[in-house]
PDB file of all heavy atoms in Angstrom:
ATOM      1  N   ASN A 307     150.109 160.140 120.683  1.00  0.00           N
ATOM      2  CA  ASN A 307     149.764 159.079 119.734  1.00  0.00           C
ATOM      3  C   ASN A 307     150.962 158.576 118.948  1.00  0.00           C
ATOM      4  O   ASN A 307     150.802 157.934 117.915  1.00  0.00           O
ATOM      5  CB  ASN A 307     148.681 159.562 118.765  1.00  0.00           C
ATOM      6  CG  ASN A 307     147.311 159.504 119.408  1.00  0.00           C
ATOM      7  OD1 ASN A 307     146.905 158.458 119.899  1.00  0.00           O
ATOM      8  ND2 ASN A 307     146.620 160.634 119.439  1.00  0.00           N
ATOM      9  N   ASN A 308     152.131 158.888 119.410  1.00  0.00           N
ATOM     10  CA  ASN A 308     153.335 158.402 118.739  1.00  0.00           C
ATOM     11  C   ASN A 308     153.747 157.065 119.365  1.00  0.00           C
ATOM     12  O   ASN A 308     154.594 157.004 120.236  1.00  0.00           O
ATOM     13  CB  ASN A 308     154.450 159.439 118.838  1.00  0.00           C
ATOM     14  CG  ASN A 308     155.675 158.998 118.050  1.00  0.00           C
ATOM     15  OD1 ASN A 308     155.553 158.201 117.118  1.00  0.00           O
ATOM     16  ND2 ASN A 308     156.836 159.496 118.435  1.00  0.00           N
ATOM     17  N   LEU A 309     153.093 156.051 118.919  1.00  0.00           N
ATOM     18  CA  LEU A 309     153.380 154.677 119.331  1.00  0.00           C
ATOM     19  C   LEU A 309     153.371 154.482 120.844  1.00  0.00           C
ATOM     20  O   LEU A 309     154.342 154.012 121.442  1.00  0.00           O
ATOM     21  CB  LEU A 309     154.722 154.216 118.754  1.00  0.00           C
ATOM     22  CG  LEU A 309     154.802 154.197 117.227  1.00  0.00           C
ATOM     23  CD1 LEU A 309     156.210 153.800 116.784  1.00  0.00           C
ATOM     24  CD2 LEU A 309     153.782 153.243 116.650  1.00  0.00           C
ATOM     25  N   PRO A 310     152.264 154.846 121.486  1.00  0.00           N
ATOM     26  CA  PRO A 310     152.157 154.536 122.909  1.00  0.00           C
ATOM     27  C   PRO A 310     151.968 153.027 123.094  1.00  0.00           C
ATOM     28  O   PRO A 310     151.587 152.314 122.158  1.00  0.00           O
ATOM     29  CB  PRO A 310     150.905 155.293 123.340  1.00  0.00           C
ATOM     30  CG  PRO A 310     150.055 155.282 122.101  1.00  0.00           C
ATOM     31  CD  PRO A 310     151.015 155.421 120.949  1.00  0.00           C
ATOM     32  N   LEU A 311     152.197 152.602 124.300  1.00  0.00           N
ATOM     33  CA  LEU A 311     151.961 151.201 124.625  1.00  0.00           C
ATOM     34  C   LEU A 311     150.658 151.109 125.412  1.00  0.00           C
ATOM     35  O   LEU A 311     150.485 151.791 126.428  1.00  0.00           O
ATOM     36  CB  LEU A 311     153.117 150.645 125.462  1.00  0.00           C
ATOM     37  CG  LEU A 311     152.890 149.221 126.008  1.00  0.00           C
ATOM     38  CD1 LEU A 311     152.798 148.211 124.870  1.00  0.00           C
ATOM     39  CD2 LEU A 311     153.994 148.849 126.989  1.00  0.00           C
ATOM     40  N   ARG A 312     149.772 150.254 124.938  1.00  0.00           N
ATOM     41  CA  ARG A 312     148.488 150.079 125.618  1.00  0.00           C
ATOM     42  C   ARG A 312     148.346 148.612 126.018  1.00  0.00           C
ATOM     43  O   ARG A 312     148.595 147.712 125.219  1.00  0.00           O
ATOM     44  CB  ARG A 312     147.320 150.465 124.705  1.00  0.00           C
ATOM     45  CG  ARG A 312     147.317 151.943 124.363  1.00  0.00           C
ATOM     46  CD  ARG A 312     146.367 152.254 123.239  1.00  0.00           C
ATOM     47  NE  ARG A 312     146.459 153.674 122.862  1.00  0.00           N
ATOM     48  CZ  ARG A 312     146.194 154.141 121.655  1.00  0.00           C
ATOM     49  NH1 ARG A 312     145.822 153.312 120.690  1.00  0.00           N
ATOM     50  NH2 ARG A 312     146.290 155.419 121.408  1.00  0.00           N
ATOM     51  N   LEU A 313     147.906 148.419 127.217  1.00  0.00           N
ATOM     52  CA  LEU A 313     147.675 147.058 127.706  1.00  0.00           C
ATOM     53  C   LEU A 313     146.328 147.036 128.415  1.00  0.00           C
ATOM     54  O   LEU A 313     145.920 148.039 129.015  1.00  0.00           O
ATOM     55  CB  LEU A 313     148.778 146.638 128.693  1.00  0.00           C
ATOM     56  CG  LEU A 313     150.199 146.542 128.142  1.00  0.00           C
ATOM     57  CD1 LEU A 313     151.186 146.309 129.296  1.00  0.00           C
ATOM     58  CD2 LEU A 313     150.313 145.417 127.127  1.00  0.00           C
ATOM     59  N   GLY A 314     145.663 145.929 128.359  1.00  0.00           N
ATOM     60  CA  GLY A 314     144.358 145.875 128.997  1.00  0.00           C
ATOM     61  C   GLY A 314     143.929 144.474 129.351  1.00  0.00           C
ATOM     62  O   GLY A 314     144.470 143.469 128.848  1.00  0.00           O
ATOM     63  N   PHE A 315     142.952 144.433 130.214  1.00  0.00           N
ATOM     64  CA  PHE A 315     142.376 143.171 130.662  1.00  0.00           C
ATOM     65  C   PHE A 315     140.905 143.419 130.950  1.00  0.00           C
ATOM     66  O   PHE A 315     140.508 144.481 131.432  1.00  0.00           O
ATOM     67  CB  PHE A 315     143.083 142.700 131.946  1.00  0.00           C
ATOM     68  CG  PHE A 315     142.357 141.576 132.641  1.00  0.00           C
ATOM     69  CD1 PHE A 315     142.572 140.259 132.265  1.00  0.00           C
ATOM     70  CD2 PHE A 315     141.445 141.841 133.665  1.00  0.00           C
ATOM     71  CE1 PHE A 315     141.901 139.226 132.908  1.00  0.00           C
ATOM     72  CE2 PHE A 315     140.773 140.804 134.314  1.00  0.00           C
ATOM     73  CZ  PHE A 315     141.006 139.501 133.923  1.00  0.00           C
ATOM     74  N   TYR A 316     140.083 142.454 130.625  1.00  0.00           N
ATOM     75  CA  TYR A 316     138.682 142.577 131.033  1.00  0.00           C
ATOM     76  C   TYR A 316     138.099 141.195 131.293  1.00  0.00           C
ATOM     77  O   TYR A 316     138.610 140.180 130.817  1.00  0.00           O
ATOM     78  CB  TYR A 316     137.851 143.313 129.966  1.00  0.00           C
ATOM     79  CG  TYR A 316     137.520 142.513 128.739  1.00  0.00           C
ATOM     80  CD1 TYR A 316     136.320 141.801 128.647  1.00  0.00           C
ATOM     81  CD2 TYR A 316     138.407 142.450 127.678  1.00  0.00           C
ATOM     82  CE1 TYR A 316     136.025 141.071 127.517  1.00  0.00           C
ATOM     83  CE2 TYR A 316     138.113 141.719 126.552  1.00  0.00           C
ATOM     84  CZ  TYR A 316     136.920 141.031 126.477  1.00  0.00           C
ATOM     85  OH  TYR A 316     136.622 140.299 125.364  1.00  0.00           O
ATOM     86  N   ARG A 317     137.060 141.200 132.047  1.00  0.00           N
ATOM     87  CA  ARG A 317     136.328 139.971 132.304  1.00  0.00           C
ATOM     88  C   ARG A 317     134.856 140.330 132.321  1.00  0.00           C
ATOM     89  O   ARG A 317     134.439 141.327 132.904  1.00  0.00           O
ATOM     90  CB  ARG A 317     136.754 139.343 133.624  1.00  0.00           C
ATOM     91  CG  ARG A 317     136.065 138.009 133.894  1.00  0.00           C
ATOM     92  CD  ARG A 317     136.683 137.299 135.084  1.00  0.00           C
ATOM     93  NE  ARG A 317     135.938 136.078 135.427  1.00  0.00           N
ATOM     94  CZ  ARG A 317     136.096 134.912 134.816  1.00  0.00           C
ATOM     95  NH1 ARG A 317     136.961 134.796 133.817  1.00  0.00           N
ATOM     96  NH2 ARG A 317     135.397 133.857 135.185  1.00  0.00           N
ATOM     97  N   ALA A 318     134.085 139.515 131.631  1.00  0.00           N
ATOM     98  CA  ALA A 318     132.664 139.835 131.497  1.00  0.00           C
ATOM     99  C   ALA A 318     131.849 138.558 131.539  1.00  0.00           C
ATOM    100  O   ALA A 318     132.349 137.461 131.301  1.00  0.00           O
ATOM    101  CB  ALA A 318     132.408 140.580 130.191  1.00  0.00           C
TER     102      ALA A 318
END
Side-chain angles (χ1 to χ4, degrees):
Chain A
N307 280 306
N308 185 24
L309 299 177
L311 173 65
R312 294 167 184 152
L313 296 172
F315 167 85
Y316 75 93
R317 183 170 174 82

